[in-house]
Amino acid sequence: MTYRDFIDRLKESGKLVEVKQPVSPRFEASRIAKKTKAPVLFHDISGSKVIMNLLGSRDELSSMLGVPKEEIIKRLSEVSPEGEIRLVSESPTLEVIEDDVDLTKLPILTHFEKDGAPYITAGIVVSEYGGVMNASIHRLMLVGKDKLAARLVPPRHTYILHKKAAEKGEPLPVAIVLGCDPVITYATTTRVPVGKEFEYAAALRGAPVELFECSNGIKVPHSEIVLEGYVDPKERVDEGPFVDITGTYDVVRKEPVIHITRIIHRKDPIYHGILPAGPEHLLMMGVPYEPRIYRAVGEVTTVKNVVLTEGGCCYLHAVVQIEKQTEGDAKNAIMAAFAAHTSLKHVVVVDEDINIFDPNDVEFAVATRVKGDMDILIIPNVRGSSLDPRGAPDGTTTKVGIDATKVLIEKENFERAIIPEE
């Protein structure tokens, strides 16, 4: 499946919203995407096509992976990053080559009132240094016709590669990929061994990932647009403010500058934009952590499912479903979840009869199965998420785990009434 195949499938299934009239890249496109929530294809943003909310729900994710929504976690937990990579010499991405770089011709969006500048939100930065490759999404602020500022988060892999290159006064070669197979985009958001993002994507899609080599030596998958360049070893500029996953503004920082030296793209490319704090951003941030929690909880009890909830920004709140065997299993599950995803703030553990995708059902479990002095675990002064506005300046917070499971010896008291079918 290609990027365009996936868009065509959305259209055929009636899930794609198409906007034919001209739309401004400044606020208007993001406003429409936020209201629409469904995948939306703009046919004319500054003369270009743009798609947003491409993977905006678990329904799209389950379609992409070819499994029911309830089995996404099982599928992701079973796949190892050992798929096949094929190097090829030809690519549809090479239909148009531009050596005279002008990034302002791209439909780079401005999303919110206080945005520091237009910025790229779905750019996969592929880098390589010392024989080590990495592919991951970074926000990329437009700072000139041929310059972007990259938010590189320590101690993640792109940050480390840039740091190693900069210590030797060397530029870090990169290629920024926009609009590739969504399985590949998803794979680059996961935590896999160094340099295994494309192998993981190949394993997920059940077919090899083809890569072609850019003029600077970086190997990338077929896509709509590729920006070739390098991260400057010294140059830094103010980056931000921009909205992060909580829907609040991140702080302004000095971040490295990427110089773009060449643009290659398909004819009539379809630009991919992710709405900050929108459904696709939440899904991309949260779902990759769910398998880690699932596997960790599976080490201490029988785990059935895990979800990072939308209300918890798909990052700070988890609901863990277990098959409870003994009293204490739920608290062990809570501690395992916090260890697996250290940014978690609140965790609720429920039984098999609770639908973890239904907030009302989860609240029902809390209402009917929790006794505050016995079932709530409070852990103060621990490292949390830098994205939590309520966290302390040093990153510490208080974490809360809620055991919303039945008391085993009294389980008949928690039986839910069923109306039988005739």
Side-chain angles (χ1 to χ4, degrees), residues 102-387:
D102 186 355
L103 295 171
T104 64
K105 293 181 180 179
L106 295 176
I108 303 175
L109 306 178
T110 304
H111 303 89
F112 294 98
E113 179 185 18
K114 295 181 181 179
D115 282 0
Y119 69 113
I120 296 170
T121 52
I124 302 168
V125 179
V126 185
S127 55
E128 186 171 344
Y129 187 77
V132 178
M133 188 280 297
N134 181 64
S136 54
I137 293 179
H138 298 270
R139 66 186 185 214
L140 303 162
M141 182 180 78
L142 183 67
V143 293
K145 290 178 66 175
D146 61 353
K147 289 183 180 183
L148 299 165
R151 168 65 176 133
L152 302 187
V153 181
R156 294 183 183 167
H157 294 157
T158 312
Y159 172 90
I160 291 171
L161 294 180
H162 172 250
K163 186 173 184 288
K164 288 180 177 180
E167 285 172 350
K168 294 185 178 181
E170 298 173 358
L172 176 68
V174 297
I176 299 163
V177 174
L178 284 156
C180 63
D181 178 348
V183 176
I184 297 174
T185 302
Y186 170 80
T188 65
T189 69
T190 59
R191 304 292 179 262
V192 296
V194 177
K196 287 288 189 176
E197 290 85 5
F198 296 140
E199 284 88 345
Y200 182 61
L204 280 178
R205 74 204 299 255
V209 167
E210 292 187 345
L211 303 178
F212 68 94
E213 189 170 331
C214 296
S215 63
N216 62 355
I218 301 297
K219 301 172 185 66
V220 297
H222 306 305
S223 52
E224 297 291 302
I225 303 167
V226 174
L227 313 177
E228 298 181 20
Y230 62 90
V231 187
D232 194 286
K234 293 182 178 180
E235 188 177 0
R236 290 176 178 267
V237 296
D238 287 341
E239 189 264 355
F242 293 124
V243 168
D244 219 313
I245 196 167
T246 56
T248 56
Y249 286 96
D250 198 1
V251 301
V252 176
R253 301 176 182 86
K254 291 287 185 183
E255 294 288 354
V257 169
I258 299 179
H259 295 258
I260 303 302
T261 56
R262 187 168 84 149
I263 300 176
I264 56 177
H265 61 84
R266 296 197 65 175
K267 295 176 182 176
D268 194 22
I270 305 173
Y271 179 92
H272 182 197
I274 294 176
L275 176 67
E280 189 172 13
H281 187 190
L282 298 181
L283 207 69
M284 290 288 193
M285 281 284 286
V287 172
Y289 282 100
E290 291 174 357
R292 295 178 63 171
I293 299 170
Y294 183 87
R295 288 190 290 266
V297 175
E299 294 291 324
V300 299
T301 188
T302 304
V303 62
K304 306 302 290 186
N305 214 334
V306 173
V307 65
L308 287 160
T309 67
E310 288 188 28
C313 307
C314 284
Y315 201 65
L316 301 175
H317 284 185
V319 180
V320 177
Q321 185 187 60
I322 66 171
E323 182 183 340
K324 189 174 177 179
Q325 307 292 328
T326 64
E327 293 301 339
D329 282 357
K331 289 185 175 63
N332 285 339
I334 288 167
M335 291 186 288
F338 283 140
H341 178 29
T342 55
S343 291
L344 272 185
K345 187 176 181 181
H346 301 142
V347 179
V348 181
V349 181
V350 299
D351 297 296
E352 294 173 90
D353 65 330
I354 298 298
N355 179 2
I356 66 172
F357 298 103
D358 182 353
N360 288 331
D361 219 28
V362 175
E363 186 178 354
F364 166 82
V366 173
T368 62
R369 300 177 186 182
V370 174
K371 188 177 181 184
D373 61 333
M374 297 177 65
D375 299 322
I376 297 177
L377 182 64
I378 299 175
I379 311 170
N381 300 317
V382 287
R383 183 73 181 178
S385 171
S386 62
L387 301 178

Side-chain angles (χ1 to χ4, degrees), residues 2-14:
T2 68
Y3 179 74
R4 296 192 182 196
D5 289 338
F6 190 76
I7 294 173
D8 288 342
R9 183 191 293 183
L10 290 171
K11 185 173 182 178
E12 291 165 5
S13 65

Side-chain angles (χ1 to χ4, degrees), residues 49-60:
K49 291 181 179 177
V50 176
I51 191 162
M52 299 181 75
N53 300 342
L54 182 65
L55 277 179
S57 76
R58 291 179 189 267
D59 291 331
E60 273 81 62

Side-chain angles (χ1 to χ4, degrees), residues 22-51:
V23 171
S24 171
R26 183 173 170 83
F27 307 136
E28 187 178 12
S30 293
R31 186 166 56 246
I32 293 171
K34 186 176 178 67
K35 289 180 179 178
T36 306
K37 294 187 179 180
V40 54
L41 176 63
F42 299 97
H43 285 261
D44 185 2
I45 294 183
S46 302
S48 297
K49 291 181 179 177
V50 176
I51 191 162

